[in-house]
């Protein structure tokens, strides 16, 4: 039986056993909730939020409250599968575990004997657990000497930019937003994607704080803020420079804080003075008064907090923009107060708290330095075998915790790569996703209800533990168990390949940083971090100062999108609409798209369009449209709505291609060019045109 946190047998009508198990939400979300899982007669009947865990506060998002529906889904893959059709057809037959593992080990051994770098692990954050993420898997691929993966698909532009400003991915405690007087919600839609942060923002709002949302899209969050600044995508750096200008001329710079705790301010000050509100407003497509008012509010309201999110760094200049925004609280000294400062990510606080080296065992590389491939350019990496840019041909890909065929940019190229008949592909999954359809062997993985794990967070500062609530369903095995079994077949004898999931989870954190007894007893424990960590400087840079002028990068500046009228006028003439593709509320990236109740809530793939853009193209609300550019074509339904600003369309993500209208999704249109900092994808830096499918809608002249 799996261990349980609290076992409360209750007398009910029948001989029922009921108990609750303490878990953690595994998903890629800043909130990383503490879960209470109710198990009745061996079956999970309820997944609820832990009322005692402060960020979770007893509530879950719509998606994860359906986690049991997802785990018991009739289409769960519960036995290993071997391909019988053509690549991508998704036709498989069940095979036993021994046959599946032998097939894989034989193939990997043969490839590794020639060149282990021809094998590529591909994974992201399907689960963010330290055990089922890159725990046992990392040990396996390090020992093998496989290519390394640069995990850039989400946050590396912002993450590296933050590290080039504060020295790490560190920021405010989420709880203290409740005490802020001004909150800038910048490139973030928390009602959709971080509802537990929104709870704190609402507490602040009720206490009289002003909320400002900075987002090209009129999101559910923007509607509930006092002010919405609908700037053009990819212009946040210009806005931040315009705000800095306002802070300087308005006398709102905290000279004492800047002198003691900021490196390179004189140079940045000079640069910001070249950005009067009119210049910033023209670049951002907003009014100069909006820039002035934002600077005045931000300079005069204390404490002022910024919730920055990754939505604004998925463009060419995403890294520079994050540096500029992250410097604002250093210039005003907002960090002096625990309810002031900024939060983009808190994951850096966990850096010293985990036993990274013993979890991942990079020492098993034994001096080898395999090449690194960027996950965001997987399309090119698979299609240009042997090219100087990528090195040796990729002969095998092992995918776990990710669905690249749906989520990676320029999916036409990604599909072409995964369709290579000479590529050996293994996919560890819960479902037959678009990527699993391209596998030679699919291995059934357990869900969070069925395995052990330990979790950090990137939107709060608590470590969490996940205990299994039930035994694995069918023939499913945890990722760690799968790599353990493969290691045996590869002949790896190091004791680390025999370590159990439970032992890995229980030894993930260091006692100096996390109260391990509380973690074991309650399922979560807060890291020991000062309330106002940078009140007197002490940033985790080598000299303790925040960097306006960062080593190797110089001063930050506004960098225009790759695809915009300024940088690519000829392209903008053919494709005049900028497309962003932010998350849909009921999906989590491409997860949950196959959960009927959640797909029903999203109805169909949508493209939001401003009425002016729709009328100009004769497109009616609800009409099927083709969204296209030189890379491809995506069909979806038009939602004619003020949620879109003129000139910008919002293609809500991320549908499974095979569940879309024409077998594609929004990534058919995105490209593989990378950000200025962090080698990350530029999903929201994309020009398109839209046309109706079928009869154009006629505008009546009366
Ligand atoms: N329901 C749901 N929740 C999720 C996810 C999901 O897919 N669905 N994804 C999860 C993941 S992987 C992540 S990384 C996190 C955070 O994921 P993020 O992608 O940061 O998600 P959002 O908070 O939705 O913020 C994105 C917002 O940025 C806006 N935006 C787009 N371009 C720009 C721009 O150039 N400038 C500005 N200022 N804003 C821009 C979009 O309109 C959108 O409202 O959320 C997680 N939570
Ligand atoms: N156009 C566009 N594209 C985007 C984005 C966007 O905003 N717009 N957002 C980007 C962002 S922020 C991100 S983070 C990426 C996300 O990309 P991914 O990390 O690939 O996320 P998902 O699409 O949710 O796919 C995760 C897969 O892992 C599987 N999984 C979950 N738990 C387990 C487990 O324990 N074991 C195994 N073996 N599998 C498991 C799930 O079933 C799911 O199919 O997408 C990016 N792509
Ligand atoms: Mo993400």
């Amino acid at each position: 039986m799996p261990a349980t946190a609290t076992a409360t047998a209750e007398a009910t009508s029948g001989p029922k056993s009921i108990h609750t198990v303490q878990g953690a939400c595994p998903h890629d979300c800043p909130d990383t909730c503490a879960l209470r899982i109710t198990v009745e007669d061996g079956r999970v009947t309820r997944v609820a939020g832990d009322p005692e865990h402060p960020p979770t506060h007893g509530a879950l998002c719509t998606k994860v409250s359906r986690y049991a529906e997802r785990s018991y889904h009739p289409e769960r893959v519960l036995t290993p599968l071997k391909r019988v059709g053509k690549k991508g057809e998704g036709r498989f037959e069940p095979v036993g575990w021994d046959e599946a593992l032998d097939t894989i080990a034989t193939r990997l051994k043969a490839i590794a004997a020639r060149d282990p770098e021809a094998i590529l692990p591909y994974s992201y954050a399907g689960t963010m657990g330290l055990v089922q993420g890159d725990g046992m898997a990392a040990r396996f691929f390090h020992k093998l000497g496989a290519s390394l993966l640069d995990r850039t698909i989400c946050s590396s532009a912002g993450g590296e930019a933050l590290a080039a400003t504060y020295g790490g991915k560190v920021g405010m405690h989420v709880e203290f937003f409740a005490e802020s007087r001004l909150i800038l919600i910048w490139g973030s839609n928390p009602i959709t994607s971080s509802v537990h942060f929104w709870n704190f923002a609402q507490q602040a709002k009720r206490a009289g704080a002003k909320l400002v949302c900075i987002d090209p899209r009129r999101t559910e969050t923007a509607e509930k803020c006092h002010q919405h600044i609908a700037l053009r995508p990819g212009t946040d750096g210009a806005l931040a420079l315009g705000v800095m200008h306002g802070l300087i001329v308005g006398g709102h710079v905290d000279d004492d804080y800047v002198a003691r705790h900021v490196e390179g301010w004189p140079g940045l000050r000079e640069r910001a003075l070249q950005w009067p509100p009119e210049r910033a407003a023209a670049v951002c497509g907003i009014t100069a008064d909006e820039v002035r008012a934002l600077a005045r509010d931000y300079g005069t309201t204390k404490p002022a907090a910024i919730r920055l999110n990754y939505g604004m760094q998925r463009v060419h200049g995403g890294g520079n923009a994050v540096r500029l925004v992250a410097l604002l609280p250093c210039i005003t000294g907002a960090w002096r107060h625990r309810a002031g400062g900024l939060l983009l990510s808190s994951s850096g606080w966990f850096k010293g708290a985990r036993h990274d080296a013993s979890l991942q065992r990079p020492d098993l590389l034994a001096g080898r330095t395999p090449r690194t491939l960027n996950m965001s350019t997987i399309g090119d990496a698979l299609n240009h075998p042997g090219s100087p840019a990528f090195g040796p041909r990729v002969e095998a890909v092992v995918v776990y915790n990710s669905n690249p065929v749906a989520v990676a940019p320029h999916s036409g190229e990604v599909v072409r790569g995964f369709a290579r008949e000479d590529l050996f592909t293994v996919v560890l999954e819960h479902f037959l996703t678009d990527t699993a359809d391209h596998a030679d062997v699919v291995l059934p993985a357990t869900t969070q209800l069925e395995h052990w794990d330990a979790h950090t967070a990137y939107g709060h500062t608590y470590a969490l533990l996940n205990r299994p609530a039930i035994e694995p369903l069918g023939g499913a095995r945890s990722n760690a168990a799968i790599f353990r079994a493969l290691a045996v077949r590869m002949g790896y004898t190091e004791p680390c390949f025999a370590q159990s999931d439970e032992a890995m989870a229980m030894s993930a954190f260091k006692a100096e940083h996390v109260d391990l007894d509380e973690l074991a007893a309650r399922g979560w424990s807060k890291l020991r971090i000062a309330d106002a960590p940078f009140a007197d400087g002490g940033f985790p840079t080598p000299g303790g100062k925040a960097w306006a002028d960062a080593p190797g990068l110089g001063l930050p500046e506004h960098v225009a999108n790759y695809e915009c009228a300024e940088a690519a006028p000829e392209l903008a003439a053919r494709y005049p609409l900028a497309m962003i593709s932010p998350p849909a509320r009921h999906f989590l990236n491409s997860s949950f798209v196959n959960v009927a109740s959640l797909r029903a809530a999203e109805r169909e793939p949508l493209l939001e369009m401003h009425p002016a853009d729709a009328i100009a193209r004769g497109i009616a609300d609800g009409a099927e449209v083709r969204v296209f550019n030189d890379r491809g074509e995506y069909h979806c339904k038009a939602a004619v709505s003020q949620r879109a600003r003129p000139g910008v369309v919002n293609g809500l993500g991320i549908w499974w291609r095979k569940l879309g209208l024409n077998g594609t999704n929004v990534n058919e249109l995105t490209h593989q060019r990378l950000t200025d900092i962090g080698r990350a994808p530029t999903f929201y830096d994309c020009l398109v045109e839209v046309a109706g499918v079928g009869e154009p809608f006629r505008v009546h002249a009366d």
Side-chain angles (χ1 to χ4, degrees), residues 197-537:
F197 160 76
W198 180 245
N199 193 24
F200 293 115
Q202 275 184 306
Q203 285 177 37
K205 192 181 175 194
R206 283 196 291 274
K210 179 171 180 178
L211 268 50
V212 181
C213 182
I214 302 171
D215 194 314
R217 177 170 183 247
R218 190 160 184 81
T219 59
E220 305 86 328
T221 306
E223 282 171 344
K224 295 211 162 49
C225 288
H226 297 96
Q227 194 189 350
H228 174 211
I229 301 177
L231 79 183
R232 293 167 51 214
T235 62
D236 302 270
L239 181 58
L241 283 161
V243 170
M244 276 181 207
H245 182 282
L247 295 174
I248 297 165
V249 301
H252 305 309
V253 176
D254 183 335
D255 293 319
D256 170 63
Y257 192 91
V258 168
R260 288 191 297 130
H261 306 309
V262 183
E263 189 78 53
W265 169 239
L268 183 59
R269 183 178 183 278
E270 206 173 301
R271 174 161 294 171
L273 283 172
Q274 292 157 24
W275 282 87
E278 292 75 15
R279 180 179 175 197
V283 171
C284 299
I286 58 175
T287 66
D289 278 344
E290 285 176 290
V291 182
R292 275 188 211 100
L294 182 61
R296 193 176 51 241
D297 284 348
Y298 188 68
T300 56
T301 317
K302 292 184 193 313
I306 301 176
R307 181 57 169 109
L308 191 64
N309 214 336
Y310 290 115
M312 49 77 77
Q313 45 99 68
R314 301 195 171 107
V315 292
H316 184 185
N320 270 277
V322 167
R323 290 181 65 200
L324 286 162
V325 176
L327 283 161
L328 294 174
C330 304
I331 296 169
T332 59
W335 284 115
R336 289 181 188 274
H337 197 290
R338 71 177 192 175
L342 175 140
L343 177 62
L344 169 62
S345 172
S346 58
S347 66
W349 291 125
F350 291 90
K351 221 172 163 189
R354 293 179 309 241
H355 287 287
D356 278 342
S358 57
L359 279 166
Q360 305 193 348
R361 298 293 306 269
D363 58 297
L364 292 170
L365 280 168
R368 294 167 296 177
T369 50
R371 64 155 167 203
T372 299
L373 289 173
N374 187 338
M375 70 185 303
S376 301
T377 48
I378 182 69
D380 279 348
L382 292 179
N383 289 314
H384 302 290
S387 71
F390 298 104
R393 166 189 294 265
V394 177
E395 295 180 48
V397 187
V398 182
V399 181
Y400 53 102
N401 302 338
S402 186
N403 184 10
V405 170
V407 305
H410 200 175
S411 42
E413 287 299 291
V414 184
V415 170
R416 195 158 73 86
F418 276 100
R420 268 175 44 193
E421 286 291 338
D422 66 331
L423 183 72
F424 179 66
T425 303
V426 179
V427 178
L428 282 60
E429 251 302 347
H430 300 150
F431 296 106
L432 287 180
T433 59
D434 292 325
T435 305
D437 280 349
H438 289 81
D440 293 278
V441 183
V442 181
L443 298 176
T446 45
T447 70
Q448 192 79 343
L449 303 180
E450 303 151 65
H451 58 225
W452 278 96
D453 222 325
H455 286 259
T456 62
Y458 64 95
H460 64 64
T461 41
Y462 292 78
L464 298 96
L465 197 64
N466 183 74
R467 291 186 155 87
I470 52 172
E471 297 290 342
L473 297 185
R477 294 189 186 179
S478 73
N479 290 346
I482 293 171
F483 286 108
R484 218 166 22 235
L486 276 173
V488 171
R489 280 173 168 76
M490 298 295 284
Y492 301 162
T493 51
E494 286 79 357
C496 72
F497 290 111
Q499 196 179 14
S500 71
D501 291 23
E502 178 178 353
M504 285 178 83
M506 296 306 282
S507 62
F509 291 108
K510 298 181 188 165
E512 310 94 271
H513 297 269
V514 180
D515 180 338
L516 298 178
D517 293 333
E518 186 185 46
L519 182 67
R522 296 187 104 166
W524 44 267
S525 183
K526 192 168 164 103
L527 295 185
R528 301 181 187 107
I529 304 161
D531 281 359
F534 311 127
D536 193 23

Side-chain angles (χ1 to χ4, degrees), residues 28 124 154 314 458 589:
D28 188 352
Y124 201 63
C154 169
R314 301 195 171 107
Y458 64 95
N589 300 317

